[in-house]
Amino acid sequence: MGYVAVTAGEEIIERAEELFEKQRVEGEADDVTVDQLEGQLGRLTAQAMSEGGLYAPQLAGLAVKQAQGDTVEASFLLRAYRSTLERYDETVPVEPSEMVASRRVSPAFKDVPGGQILGPTKDYTQRLLDFGLLDGEPEDPTEDWNTEDVGEPEELTNVMELLREEGLVDEPDAPDVDEPTDTTREPVTHPPARDAVLQELARGETGAVTALGYSSLRGYGQVHPTLAEVRVGHLPVKIEHPLTGDEVTVCHTEVSESEAVVPVYAKRDDPQFAFGYGLTFGRNERKAIGMTILDAAIQLDGVEEPAENPEFVLDVVDGMDSFGFIEHLKLPHYVTFQSTLDRIRAIRERRGLADEGRVDASEAGRNDDTETEEDNRPAEDAPLAEVSDDD
Amino acid sequence: MGDPTDRSDRFELIADCDGETLARFANEVLESDPPLSVRQDPRPQLLMQQVVEPVEHRPFNLGEVVVTPAAVELDGQRGFAMIPGKAERAALSGAIVDAAVAGDHPVTDDVLRALEQVAADREAERAQAWAESKHTTVDFETMEDEE
């Protein structure tokens, strides 16, 4: 593998960046504030936090603003920021049943204890453009609700526990892990431990997780689950207080959770259900459900279907990886392309086709009608990019 | 409801308190120029949030949370605070407030009242959010026998 230094004008690159920034501020509209993004475009900031693997609502709003709404770019900014920080500690592990839920529906059980709580959703209404939002003043449509005397907030029983009580869930051996794998610090090895799979899926790119989960539903796999429940709520972030040693709650993270019952027996001779699980930062039920399907599919350990192959799934769902690899194709590849041209030319020469439709690489991409000598002058600045000629 | 005289409860209430209120109390404490040493600079750090998934009861790393911790020693009393997000000023103020209450500084009564209000507001918000969610409780009906 070789690297070739490519010089470019630093000033020109700065101008390009300034032009990008101009796109954000041009026009008559007021500058959108980070608070507005965090508050009113919560799904966008949630997606950036989820894919960035970093819960920081205000910084996510800043990242979305800086990225002009490009969620993967915003996730990239959050991960870059994360890389500058020290880790204080791991939290005390929390059970999902500790979630303070604002929404919980169970497609599997009609009469689920605690009830079917729709919460804030438009799942059951028509998707029509609301032209009132074009110039409407913000109003709270729940202002007239009588919300008194509904009782204390309840902990909603996890549906998985109900099935477990009936003996319908395979009782796992006690996991022999005290410290789960941390894929931000150690590379994933194959076959991956389930905790590594869950961590990688939790910060996977929403579209990729959804698409691969969908592939299983479309017949490229065996997993077509029934969702035991979908929940949205807040999980406590707990540490041990350094002075008292007590478990204390620093804050809560908003999460989306999904559990799926899979009609595949975990053991051939014992008809119990297998399960899939999904949990991700922020309000993003679609991603949590996709994660659930992939978790269940990966446990089948297949290699024929994409969604069942953990190596394939984990290699392609990370938005940063795909972002980097797809976007790097825009960078100069002159050396790579030159060597490709040389090879093709050599073959053509050997076959006596050398003079037919020849393209001179030194002329490729030039437009002599518009470029001036000044345009083509090498920059005086130091090399700004190093480009691999071996992808 | 959290008891702000209890150090662990106080920690949670300080974490929930707005930065301006903490800064105002910290400034009042520092007006008399008490001996103060910063044992841990306030700077954003990470907590890796671990969750026990309900299928195999296996802990896994959900992702990291940005928090800003700070620790001080104020007039012989230690103080510690951790504020969600990137909040250096609030974290240092919170640690000073924590130490001031531990040392029964004259500002203590005002701080306790403010933190009690934080606890009350927190409970009220939680109850309101739950009440709103409960207002969307629905019975899904099956229609197997209907013709």
Side-chain angles (χ1 to χ4, degrees):
Chain A
M1 186 170 71
Y3 285 86
V4 171
V6 178
T7 58
E10 189 171 1
E11 192 181 323
I12 302 299
I13 290 173
E14 282 173 1
R15 276 190 218 159
E17 191 179 10
E18 285 163 5
L19 209 49
F20 180 79
E21 178 62 9
K22 181 194 170 191
Q23 287 186 325
R24 194 181 66 75
V25 298
E26 67 188 345
E28 300 298 315
D30 294 338
D31 189 32
V32 65
T33 68
V34 169
D35 285 345
Q36 284 175 326
L37 288 168
E38 184 194 337
Q40 296 176 33
L41 298 182
R43 305 297 180 87
L44 205 55
T45 52
Q47 191 175 333
M49 288 193 291
S50 157
E51 295 171 14
L54 188 72
Y55 195 86
Q58 194 186 35
L59 299 179
L62 174 63
V64 166
K65 178 175 179 175
Q66 188 177 329
Q68 296 180 20
D70 180 338
T71 49
V72 183
E73 173 88 17
S75 311
F76 185 96
L77 292 169
L78 289 178
R79 284 207 197 177
Y81 176 67
R82 170 203 163 273
S83 71
T84 67
L85 304 182
E86 289 175 12
R87 185 177 294 175
Y88 180 87
D89 204 353
E90 285 82 33
T91 66
V92 175
V94 293
E95 303 276 348
S97 56
E98 293 182 60
M99 183 191 298
V100 181
S102 58
R103 163 167 163 77
R104 189 276 291 275
V105 290
S106 172
F109 292 96
K110 186 168 71 70
D111 299 314
V112 67
Q116 305 269 8
I117 301 173
L118 302 187
T121 184
K122 296 190 100 174
D123 277 358
Y124 312 95
T125 49
Q126 291 177 318
R127 258 74 169 192
L128 298 174
L129 275 177
D130 179 359
F131 292 100
L133 294 179
L134 281 174
D135 52 8
E137 287 295 314
E139 283 178 14
D140 177 3
T142 71
E143 215 166 4
D144 299 333
W145 287 12
N146 179 8
T147 51
E148 292 177 4
D149 303 328
V150 295
E152 286 296 300
E154 298 166 25
E155 269 191 12
L156 300 175
T157 307
N158 193 281
V159 171
M160 189 79 68
E161 290 308 314
L162 300 177
L163 294 170
R164 186 164 269 127
E165 284 169 13
E166 276 197 57
L168 297 173
V169 181
D170 181 35
E171 281 297 342
D173 300 330
D176 55 356
V177 277
D178 291 329
E179 276 300 314
T181 316
D182 183 357
T183 60
T184 65
R185 294 191 165 181
E186 33 186 308
V188 177
T189 54
H190 292 280
R194 185 147 178 271
D195 46 63
V197 171
L198 291 175
Q199 184 179 6
E200 284 295 280
L201 292 176
R203 61 186 204 149
E205 201 270 322
T206 300
V209 170
T210 309
L212 281 177
Y214 178 56
S215 76
S216 186
L217 300 183
R218 284 306 300 261
Y220 300 94
Q222 302 175 56
V223 174
H224 193 115
T226 302
L227 295 181
E229 68 179 319
V230 177
R231 289 205 286 186
V232 176
H234 289 82
L235 277 181
V237 176
K238 297 179 180 177
I239 61 165
E240 282 186 11
H241 194 288
L243 303 182
T244 66
D246 293 341
E247 282 184 15
V248 286
T249 299
V250 182
C251 58
H252 288 75
T253 50
E254 187 181 34
V255 293
S256 301
E257 184 193 35
S258 159
E259 290 170 10
V261 181
V262 184
V264 173
Y265 297 159
K267 295 173 189 167
R268 190 171 295 278
D269 56 350
D270 188 2
Q272 294 172 318
F273 290 120
F275 289 88
Y277 185 68
L279 183 71
T280 186
F281 280 147
R283 179 80 191 268
N284 192 342
E285 294 169 29
R286 192 164 51 246
K287 177 178 167 182
I289 295 168
M291 177 178 170
T292 306
I293 299 169
L294 291 178
D295 174 43
I298 284 172
Q299 290 177 65
L300 298 177
D301 210 20
V303 290
E304 298 295 323
E305 306 294 355
E308 293 175 9
N309 183 337
E311 194 160 356
F312 178 82
V313 171
L314 300 190
D315 271 358
V316 302
V317 296
D318 191 279
M320 294 312 102
D321 287 352
S322 55
F323 169 101
F325 221 69
I326 295 284
E327 297 256 348
H328 104 283
L329 295 175
K330 293 186 291 191
L331 296 173
H333 280 66
Y334 309 128
V335 175
T336 318
F337 187 58
Q338 182 67 56
S339 72
T340 307
L341 276 180
D342 289 347
R343 276 202 302 275
I344 295 289
R345 281 182 184 139
I347 294 168
R348 289 175 64 85
E349 274 181 22
R350 279 204 304 276
R351 295 181 181 177
L353 300 168
D355 296 330
E356 292 179 25
R358 178 176 179 124
V359 177
D360 185 340
S362 64
E363 297 295 318
R366 286 189 56 176
N367 183 344
D368 289 333
D369 293 340
T370 55
E371 286 186 334
T372 65
E373 193 176 325
E374 193 175 332
D375 292 328
N376 292 319
R377 194 168 57 211
E380 292 173 2
D381 304 306
L384 290 172
E386 287 190 337
V387 180
S388 164
D389 65 358
D390 183 0
D391 288 331
Chain B
M1 187 178 289
D3 171 11
T5 61
D6 174 86
R7 172 152 251 155
S8 293
D9 283 3
R10 185 162 70 243
F11 169 88
E12 295 186 353
L13 296 171
I14 286 174
D16 229 8
C17 191
D18 77 89
E20 289 306 313
T21 303
L22 294 173
R24 179 164 53 82
F25 283 128
N27 285 337
E28 283 183 40
V29 171
L30 297 178
E31 268 174 10
S32 58
D33 202 18
L36 172 74
S37 62
V38 178
R39 297 170 67 95
Q40 183 178 352
D41 283 327
R43 60 172 188 276
Q45 293 190 27
L46 301 169
L47 287 175
M48 176 55 89
Q49 185 167 25
Q50 295 190 341
V51 180
V52 181
E53 54 83 20
V55 181
E56 296 179 11
H57 298 305
R58 179 189 284 264
F60 77 100
N61 291 306
L62 173 63
E64 287 165 308
V65 182
V66 176
V67 294
T68 308
V72 300
E73 187 164 316
L74 178 81
D75 209 5
Q77 290 289 340
R78 293 171 74 182
F80 175 74
M82 184 179 279
I83 305 292
K86 183 179 183 301
E88 293 91 333
R89 185 163 175 252
L92 184 60
S93 302
I96 291 169
V97 167
D98 182 46
V101 174
D104 202 21
H105 186 276
V107 80
T108 296
D109 285 345
D110 290 342
V111 170
L112 294 181
R113 267 194 297 278
L115 293 182
E116 280 163 3
Q117 187 59 49
V118 169
D121 291 347
R122 188 174 66 179
E123 289 298 315
E125 278 173 26
R126 192 167 173 227
Q128 176 70 15
W130 174 248
E132 287 171 358
S133 290
K134 282 294 276 184
H135 262 56
T136 63
T137 303
V138 66
D139 286 325
F140 288 118
E141 292 183 12
T142 51
M143 303 170 72
E144 292 164 27
D145 300 325
E146 294 189 17
E147 293 185 8

